[in-house]
Amino acid sequence: ISLFLSRCETLTIYDLKGVSRSQINSDTFDMIKVGNGVMTSFPETLHCLLIINAPSWFGFVWAIVKKLIDPRTASKIEVFTNAKSGLERMNELIDSSQIPSDYGGIGPALAKAAGGMSNVDSSRRTKVVNFNHLIQLSKKNPENECTFEIEAEKQLTITVYSRCKTGCTATVTRVGDSNIFFELDVVGDVEEEPYHRTIGAVKEPGSYRVKLKSLSTHGNYLVVGTSYTGLSLTSDIRSKESIVD
């Protein structure tokens, strides 16, 4: 009897471009400890982890992080502050067809890949991720916001993902205009259970703002804007307060 065993290893890339020092808090280190527990139990599953576009202050954070993780895991992590060096290392490890065009490869852009657009039949209705923003709320900063653009002939559905049960209030307005298009309390049903709430769908071209205001405690929220190829636009602005996938 011949037995053939194969092993699956992951190659993970963290792009820290645009990450500010204020975003590194106690929650970040708690997540690192949890992730380290998994990687320590299954060290053979991690082939390599590349941290690219690391800001100048990241060296201080990395010195602390290295003390929190298993030495075997730390030896597989490579940090690049120089963008060119990081991309060169990616090309050494990954076939160019698997590297998004955003990073110099010939693969689909990240937004298209996230929406399943690498090989799409243009005649079918397919979901596309147009933008995503991570927003952190805390006792010190209970309000935060992000902006996005809508092009002509496109309709974006705005959805907020979180696992913070107490949640926040989300509002959507046009930049430079105080009139509220949508307002919804984004709250969960079970503590630490992931959930998502759809705020609404906007069609008119222009610049828009999504503002989140904490209802009680700190939390992390991912704001995502999606559209569909082949979608017929029949209204200017319509509210979708039910959950949609």
Side-chain angles (χ1 to χ4, degrees), residues 110-168:
L110 283 177
K112 290 186 176 181
M117 289 288 292
S118 54
N119 292 292
V120 219
D121 179 355
S122 59
S123 65
R124 299 182 62 184
R125 188 170 180 266
T126 307
K127 191 174 184 179
V128 180
V129 176
N130 297 94
F131 74 84
N132 60 80
H133 294 284
L134 179 63
I135 293 181
Q136 294 182 317
L137 301 181
S138 63
K139 185 175 181 180
K140 184 178 180 180
N141 298 297
E143 298 182 17
N144 209 336
E145 62 184 41
C146 66
T147 59
F148 64 93
E149 301 283 334
I150 294 185
E151 302 172 356
E153 299 302 318
K154 181 171 287 188
Q155 177 172 290
L156 294 188
T157 298
I158 314 304
T159 306
V160 178
Y161 295 78
S162 184
R163 60 191 306 162
C164 178
K165 180 183 177 182
T166 51
C168 67

Side-chain angles (χ1 to χ4, degrees), residues 19-215:
V19 175
S20 65
R21 191 166 185 172
S22 62
Q23 291 177 289
I24 307 299
N25 52 32
S26 58
D27 289 343
T28 305
F29 291 108
D30 287 341
M31 291 171 61
I32 291 173
K33 290 177 182 178
V34 172
N36 178 60
V38 175
M39 289 188 285
T40 300
S41 300
F42 305 97
E44 69 282 355
T45 60
L46 178 65
H47 176 75
C48 184
L49 191 158
L50 305 183
I51 299 177
I52 63 175
N53 293 317
S56 57
W57 50 262
F58 185 74
F60 171 75
V61 176
W62 177 234
I64 298 175
V65 170
K66 285 183 70 174
K67 297 177 182 179
L68 300 176
I69 60 179
D70 185 85
R72 292 175 298 174
T73 300
S75 67
K76 298 180 180 182
I77 299 176
E78 302 177 33
V79 181
F80 297 91
T81 56
N82 181 278
K84 183 179 178 181
S85 298
L87 294 179
E88 289 177 348
R89 182 56 172 155
M90 285 176 61
N91 278 279
E92 290 176 3
L93 297 170
I94 310 170
D95 187 86
S96 61
S97 65
Q98 301 300 310
I99 299 177
S101 58
D102 315 55
Y103 293 88
I106 60 175
L110 283 177
K112 290 186 176 181
M117 289 288 292
S118 54
N119 292 292
V120 219
D121 179 355
S122 59
S123 65
R124 299 182 62 184
R125 188 170 180 266
T126 307
K127 191 174 184 179
V128 180
V129 176
N130 297 94
F131 74 84
N132 60 80
H133 294 284
L134 179 63
I135 293 181
Q136 294 182 317
L137 301 181
S138 63
K139 185 175 181 180
K140 184 178 180 180
N141 298 297
E143 298 182 17
N144 209 336
E145 62 184 41
C146 66
T147 59
F148 64 93
E149 301 283 334
I150 294 185
E151 302 172 356
E153 299 302 318
K154 181 171 287 188
Q155 177 172 290
L156 294 188
T157 298
I158 314 304
T159 306
V160 178
Y161 295 78
S162 184
R163 60 191 306 162
C164 178
K165 180 183 177 182
T166 51
C168 67
T169 297
T171 57
V172 178
T173 60
R174 190 187 289 272
V175 173
D177 189 343
S178 59
N179 291 328
I180 296 176
F181 286 121
F182 306 110
E183 184 172 51
L184 183 71
D185 285 343
V186 178
V187 295
D189 299 318
V190 181
E191 190 67 45
E192 290 300 309
E193 185 73 22
Y195 66 91
H196 65 281
R197 301 288 181 263
T198 297
I199 310 305
V202 185
K203 176 214 167 184
E204 289 185 348
S207 301
Y208 293 84
R209 174 182 290 108
V210 179
K211 183 177 181 179
L212 304 185
K213 182 177 181 179
S214 177
L215 290 174

